[in-house]
Amino acid sequence: PKIKNNHQIKRKEMSLFARVISRRSAGAPSLLLARSSSGALKQRTCPLLIAKERVFSTTVESDLGEILDEEIENERENAITSTVQSLIENFSKQGKSIRHESGSGRVEIALEHATISFDCRDVVSDEDVDEGALDQNPSSVEFDVNINKGGARLIFECLATEDNGVTIESVSYYGEKQDDSVPDIYDGPKFNELDPRLQAAFYTYLDNIGITLELSTFINNFATQKEALEYLTWLENVRSFVISE
């Protein structure tokens, strides 16, 4: 028989290793077929393949862990717990309450006549707006204003910017027995198609119940700081998982 040269042997080993990686990514174990004393085929684990799998897995996890460490170090400069607490304390001094939990992006603000809710991840950045609007709306946070009267609700979908205040995107009405999860329900026209006088009246209405430029600035700042904290926590949790045995 012909003796295989080193290149052929290496190609065979590489091909075998490639199949091992393919099996591993698909969730299949590395197995070999062996014949028992009775002549029947049975499966047994190949130590060589397991060793290669272990080396591959350890290397990938080590690389991921290093990148996570770098990202955590960078984010620690942005995520300052005291900043979030300071924002909450100053907000509470105004007689307003805010509710949020660590590990959740959702934030609720209770006003006298309305409830405001938003997710710290719902930030519209420069990349999400038209080029011509960058100067006017560099960064915004999506939030909802829910006004409830006897079970009927008026819901404003808005954007909060630090410098330009509140932008109303839609106004929806739901009766006491209306289900807002119904996909075809008519909840209102497009806001920018309303008569300009009606649009202005809605802005005045929101301002009267406390949806002001000051509140818009707070929402923008709080969402930014909370998202930074939640992201840092997520990075640390993922790193701990990856490097654990």
Side-chain angles (χ1 to χ4, degrees), residues 62-127:
S62 176
D63 291 344
L64 178 56
E66 290 179 3
I67 295 173
L68 285 168
D69 283 337
E70 294 175 5
E71 186 70 5
I72 288 171
E73 189 64 28
N74 292 334
E75 287 301 317
R76 278 179 177 159
E77 299 178 2
N78 300 324
I80 305 175
T81 305
S82 59
T83 302
V84 171
Q85 295 302 324
S86 176
L87 285 171
I88 293 175
E89 289 174 5
N90 292 334
F91 195 69
S92 299
K93 290 178 181 178
Q94 304 173 22
K96 303 170 184 176
S97 64
I98 182 170
R99 183 173 65 182
H100 77 106
E101 295 180 0
S102 177
S104 171
R106 184 173 176 80
V107 180
E108 289 187 357
I109 297 174
L111 303 180
E112 184 178 358
H113 299 293
T115 301
I116 297 171
S117 60
F118 62 92
D119 191 298
C120 66
R121 294 165 293 187
D122 290 339
V123 177
V124 182
S125 63
D126 296 355
E127 299 175 355

Side-chain angles (χ1 to χ4, degrees), residues 44-58:
R44 68 180 180 86
T45 305
C46 175
L48 176 62
L49 300 187
I50 291 178
K52 288 187 175 181
E53 283 188 8
R54 187 178 298 117
V55 170
F56 174 78
S57 176
T58 302

